[in-house]
């Protein structure tokens, strides 16, 4: 593992830091709503070549030459500055890379630019009431009628469906085919007639997940991504991007930094919590996991740059599960530091703008939500099966064949 950067890349890091002096925005721009400020800075990042580097300019990106080390430096510096970077939404983070790989030229030009800016929100239509971990058993149907698909059925646990303009989803187009075949990947307008979104209220008091019902919903056949019946293969590419988002070590370091600030501001037996021996041991243990995750990521990164991906396939398979567990440790520790404040309910504003909230009630919300990623993007128990079977050659788990 090589932890040193070349002189050329150190100079590039200085350039990035100089650009980041423009964040937070100043003057009149600083008085704009946060969302508008982030859009302004993100556009400047595109113009400077630091944001959406892998996306061609014709689709709204900055189209920079591939350079994994520069990409990493940008991510490190943007995270350190707390600056707006590539949107990690379902549209920009999941649908865009999938369309770049499998979409038609028309689909790319039409759907990618508004997804990058956040003007068009997307949701993911994968899980169904009887098809979660066994996703390939999905039953939501797509029947071809002339030049339109007709959709009927139900999706569930659909994050952000209440705000989404579009859905990328999987639908069974050949009911008699084997369960991994006959699935088609479609782009569905959420305002199409026949779609009903019902919220699923969470224990936090808000709702981010939904049920989505389809009743003879018609979708143009040109909204098919890839070929008819090949949706399973395409969905696997999307899932890889989703798991990478969930297992991001920079997010862990960011959350751990917030945890340290919280420990400094709270007291245990009259002294700052970060001076309490028991809490210090607990925080040190968590930092060990965070640091290990970052070093493992560096090892994977170095191997990938040397064309030795096979050497790090096992740790790469563990990123999502490890990331989920570590984030839960951080949030549980923060929740315990809140003491009596842990019974406070998140505010309506926090529920509506879920994210990195470091108020007492914001921590409560983050703690409650930290339990969800163990299910999202492939449940942890399924991921452990995959690691055991494919990574270590253990006997296969019993499976139902249909």
């Amino acid at each position: 593992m090589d932890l040193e950067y070349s002189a050329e890349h150190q100079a590039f890091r200085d350039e990035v830091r100089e650009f980041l002096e423009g964040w937070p925005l100043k003057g009149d721009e600083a008085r704009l709503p946060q969302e508008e400020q982030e859009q302004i800075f993100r556009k400047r990042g595109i113009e400077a070549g630091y944001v959406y580097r892998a996306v061609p300019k014709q689709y709204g990106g900055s189209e920079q030459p591939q350079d994994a080390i520069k990409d990493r430096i940008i991510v490190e510096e943007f995270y350190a500055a707390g600056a707006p970077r590539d949107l990690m939404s379902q549209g920009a983070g999941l649908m865009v890379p999938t369309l770049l790989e499998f979409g038609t030229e028309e689909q790319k030009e039409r759907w990618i630019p508004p997804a990058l800016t956040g003007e068009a929100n997307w949701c993911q239509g994968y899980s169904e009431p009887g098809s979660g971990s066994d996703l390939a058993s999905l039953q939501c149907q797509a029947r071809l009628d002339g030049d339109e698909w007709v959709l009927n059925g139900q999706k569930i646990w659909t994050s952000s469906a209440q705000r989404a303009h579009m859905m990328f989803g999987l639908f069974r187009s050949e009911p008699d085919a084997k369960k991994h075949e006959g699935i088609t990947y479609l782009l569905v307008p959420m305002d199409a007639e026949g779609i009903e979104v019902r919220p699923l209220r969470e224990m936090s008091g808000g709702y981010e997940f939904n049920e989505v019902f389809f009743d003879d919903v018609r979708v143009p056949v040109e909204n098919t991504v890839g070929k008819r019946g090949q949706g399973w293969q395409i969905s696997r590419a999307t899932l890889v991007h989703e798991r990478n988002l969930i297992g991001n070590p920079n997010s862990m370091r960011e959350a751990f930094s917030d945890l340290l600030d919280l420990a400094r501001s709270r007291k245990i037996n009259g002294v700052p919590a970060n001076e309490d021996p028991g809490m210090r041991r607990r925080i040190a243990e968590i930092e060990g996991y965070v640091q290990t995750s970052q070093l493992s990521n560096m090892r994977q990164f170095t191997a990938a740059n040397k064309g030795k991906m096979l050497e790090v396939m096992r740790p790469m398979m563990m990123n999502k599960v490890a990331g989920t567990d570590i984030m839960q440790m951080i949030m549980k520790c923060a929740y315990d530091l809140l003491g009596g404040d842990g019974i406070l309910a998140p505010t309506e504003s926090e529920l509506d703008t879920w994210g990195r909230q470091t108020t007492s009630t914001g921590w409560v919300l983050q703690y409650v939500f930290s339990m969800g990623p163990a299910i999202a993007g492939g449940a942890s128990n399924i991921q452990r099966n995959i690691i055991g079977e494919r990574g270590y050659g253990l006997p296969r788990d019993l499976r139902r064949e249909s």
Side-chain angles (χ1 to χ4, degrees), residues 62-75:
S62 59
E63 193 175 349
Q64 297 298 303
Q66 186 173 4
D67 189 320
I69 297 178
K70 285 187 176 179
D71 290 347
R72 188 175 191 88
I73 289 171
I74 291 169
V75 170

Side-chain angles (χ1 to χ4, degrees), residues 248-399:
N248 183 348
N250 294 298
S251 298
M252 293 176 214
R253 176 56 68 181
E254 196 173 52
F256 182 74
S257 176
D258 290 341
L259 174 66
L260 290 180
D261 290 340
L262 181 67
R264 295 185 187 104
S265 69
R266 292 277 165 170
K267 290 188 176 180
I268 297 177
N269 298 324
V271 300
N274 65 317
E275 297 178 12
D276 177 78
M279 183 55 66
R280 288 174 68 86
R281 279 196 297 273
R282 187 171 175 184
I283 290 176
E285 179 184 358
I286 294 173
E287 178 161 31
Y289 283 110
V290 173
Q291 186 72 12
T292 300
S293 177
Q294 288 186 302
L295 290 174
S296 176
N297 188 266
M298 287 291 290
R299 177 185 167 217
Q300 296 166 36
F301 174 70
T302 301
N305 273 300
K306 292 180 177 178
K308 299 179 179 178
M309 289 285 288
L310 290 178
E311 292 184 3
V312 291
M313 286 303 291
R314 288 175 181 169
M316 287 181 70
M317 295 170 73
M318 298 178 190
N319 287 345
K320 193 264 182 182
V321 174
T324 299
D325 290 349
I326 295 168
M327 287 298 275
Q328 284 184 342
M329 287 182 206
I330 293 172
M331 297 308 164
K332 179 63 168 64
C333 185
Y335 183 77
D336 291 343
L337 280 167
L338 295 179
D341 288 346
I343 65 171
L344 299 175
T347 65
E348 288 296 326
S349 172
E350 287 164 341
L351 290 172
D352 191 48
T353 58
W354 181 90
R356 187 183 172 192
Q357 308 274 0
T358 55
T359 60
S360 294
T361 49
W363 276 112
V364 172
L365 181 59
Q366 290 196 78
Y367 167 61
V368 170
F369 194 84
S370 70
M371 304 173 195
I375 302 172
S380 292
N381 59 322
I382 301 299
Q383 292 302 302
R384 290 189 173 96
N385 271 1
I386 293 172
I387 293 166
E389 293 169 4
R390 300 181 190 172
Y392 291 92
L394 297 178
R396 286 174 63 86
D397 197 10
L398 292 176
R399 284 174 167 78

Side-chain angles (χ1 to χ4, degrees), residues 23 25 29-30 32-41:
W23 181 261
L25 300 185
E29 291 180 337
L32 294 171
Q34 186 66 20
E35 188 175 350
E36 290 185 37
Q37 292 187 45
E38 292 179 1
Q39 288 176 356
I40 290 172
F41 193 78

Side-chain angles (χ1 to χ4, degrees), residues 15-24 41 74 77-78 81 83:
E15 293 175 17
V16 177
R17 286 178 176 173
E18 184 177 355
F19 170 78
L20 288 171
E21 291 176 2
W23 181 261
F41 193 78
I74 291 169
E77 294 302 324
F78 270 60

